[in-house]
Amino acid sequence: SLAATGGLTPPAELVLGVLDAVPPGVDVALLVRATAAWHFAYDRAELNGMLADVRRLGDAVVAWHAERTPPSARALSSVSFVVGALTRVHDGTYAIDADATAAFVRAAAPHFGVAVHRAFDDVADRGA
């Protein structure tokens, strides 16, 4: 359940159904999360899967938009991805995984923005 997992990456069919159902003025944020575990320090396979999810969902949304006649009133920029990946630092605390975050941004470009989810809450030095 959503309450138990905090949410996982939705299937493309669900995302496209939401885009069909909500008015164009409503922004849609797509959570990308590899596992229901309450950690955000993913291994390489999980990160690669999350990057593939961003690409797969992004491609599905772009195709959905292009198939609308007339073109959808929803701007592609109203859809974004919500991600979070941490890395353990030398003192045992966590920091945002800058390399993974940059890879998510590249995978989402040029159509979609990226925001960091609650993984940020686990970062010890939020000013860094």
Side-chain angles (χ1 to χ4, degrees):
S1 77
L2 180 60
T5 66
L8 297 174
T9 306
E13 297 77 23
L14 177 59
V15 170
L16 301 181
V18 168
L19 293 175
D20 281 333
V22 299
V26 175
D27 290 345
V28 176
L30 307 175
L31 177 68
V32 177
R33 189 163 168 228
T35 176
W38 286 100
H39 72 80
F40 304 105
Y42 299 111
D43 64 29
R44 182 60 40 208
E46 290 168 327
L47 288 171
N48 287 340
M50 292 167 68
L51 286 166
D53 285 343
V54 169
R55 291 183 193 103
R56 176 182 53 81
L57 291 175
D59 289 347
V61 171
V62 168
W64 173 89
H65 189 269
E67 291 170 357
R68 298 297 176 269
T69 306
S72 172
R74 173 178 301 285
L76 287 176
S77 62
S78 72
V79 179
S80 62
F81 289 96
V82 182
V83 300
L86 303 178
T87 187
R88 190 179 295 271
V89 294
H90 65 280
D91 64 358
T93 61
Y94 290 97
I96 295 293
D97 185 332
D99 292 337
T101 303
F104 290 132
V105 170
R106 286 190 303 273
H111 302 293
F112 310 103
V114 173
V116 175
H117 64 50
R118 70 172 294 280
F120 191 74
D121 295 346
D122 294 341
V123 171
D125 184 3
R126 294 186 188 157

